[in-house]
Amino acid sequence: MEQVRHTVEEIFNKDFKKTAIQGYNTNDVDSYLDELMADYQTYESNIKELQETIENQKREIVELTKQVNANTAAAATSNQVTSSANTNMDILKRISNLERKVFGAPEDK
């Protein structure tokens, strides 16, 4: 980012050389105004650069939020599948235990 050359105090306190007929030297005034114009162009450039940075960061936040939401949804789905598999396994074990109690333990041969 470029630096602004003049502060508000400098602009306010600027003294121009006076000519013999109680006027200001036009070259001094013109060069100072040229410097001020350059400063304001720099200022506008800095603002535009910062606005672009803000917009890029907003887009990045949106993208990262989408990724987090997708990862959270995937993790939830994975937990549901794991939970479902564990529940099915528990049910099969219970059925097996009930069959053993009802029909007796298989005979060893």
Side-chain angles (χ1 to χ4, degrees), residues 41-56:
Q41 287 173 342
T42 299
Y43 178 70
E44 288 175 353
S45 171
N46 290 346
I47 289 173
K48 187 175 182 180
E49 179 182 331
L50 292 172
Q51 287 172 335
E52 289 173 0
T53 301
I54 288 169
E55 290 303 316
N56 289 338

Side-chain angles (χ1 to χ4, degrees), residues 24-80:
Y24 291 104
N25 184 335
T26 56
N27 290 335
D28 281 349
V29 174
D30 286 344
S31 71
Y32 191 68
L33 291 175
D34 288 343
E35 290 176 9
L36 288 176
M37 287 174 23
D39 275 353
Y40 282 100
Q41 287 173 342
T42 299
Y43 178 70
E44 288 175 353
S45 171
N46 290 346
I47 289 173
K48 187 175 182 180
E49 179 182 331
L50 292 172
Q51 287 172 335
E52 289 173 0
T53 301
I54 288 169
E55 290 303 316
N56 289 338
Q57 290 177 345
K58 283 180 181 178
R59 282 192 291 274
E60 186 175 346
I61 288 170
V62 167
E63 185 61 35
L64 291 173
T65 302
K66 286 179 183 177
Q67 289 177 6
V68 166
N69 290 340
N71 288 342
T72 302
T77 302
S78 174
N79 287 341
Q80 288 175 350

